[in-house]
Structures are given as structure tokens and as C-alpha cells.
Amino acid sequence: MISRLFPTPRRRVTAVLTVTAAVVAFASWALWPVYDSSCVVYSGAYTPMNAPKAENDAAAGRAHDKALADGACGPKRARFRHWTQWGQP
């Protein structure tokens, strides 16, 4: 049956690589750490409009660390953490 779907070795290799890439992309998306949706942090830091991205990220990181220390936000978590709770009250 597989040989009918992919009659040449080149097509089989292409199919295997495509499926592998899709699995890796989904797994990396699912494992990427995220903050809880209830945690919104504004840095409150004034950075110039043309400031490098690293400077803006550092200001946001400091604000999040302060919110963590104050107990306002939880730490980052894996995206899939609550997937088993779907549909439960």
C-alpha cells in the first residue's frame, strides 16, 4: 500500500522528511514556554523609539521579574500543561 502512494524512493524520503518537520514544528510550539493569560505586565520603562529589541526585551524581563517577586504572576509554563483539562468545568 505504501509503495502505491510513494512509488519512488525520492517521494518516500520527501514524505518522511515532511512528516518529521511537521512533528518537530508542532512539538516545539507545544513545548515553548508561555506566561499565564492572566499575567499582563507593562514594563513602565521608557525606551527610545529606535531602541534595539534586546533593550526592550530586557525592560520587559525586569518588569516580569518584579511581578514574579511581588506574587502578581506565575512563572512561565509549558503550553500543553492544561490541555488535558479541556471541557472540564
Side-chain angles (χ1 to χ4, degrees):
M1 172 118 177
I2 295 290
S3 61
R4 287 185 185 174
L5 290 174
F6 306 108
T8 62
R10 184 176 181 177
R11 286 187 181 179
R12 278 185 227 127
V13 169
T14 302
V16 167
L17 291 177
T18 301
V19 169
T20 303
V23 168
V24 167
F26 178 76
S28 65
W29 174 82
L31 294 174
W32 193 267
V34 294
Y35 296 110
D36 285 329
S37 59
S38 62
C39 180
V40 177
V41 177
Y42 297 101
S43 69
Y46 294 100
T47 55
M49 193 76 155
N50 59 351
K53 183 178 182 332
E55 186 176 339
N56 291 332
D57 290 345
R62 286 190 300 272
H64 184 262
D65 291 342
K66 184 177 183 306
L68 278 175
D70 294 342
C73 293
K76 285 185 176 182
R77 60 170 177 76
R79 184 183 309 269
F80 67 88
R81 183 174 167 198
H82 296 296
W83 287 359
T84 58
Q85 298 173 359
W86 282 355
Q88 296 178 358

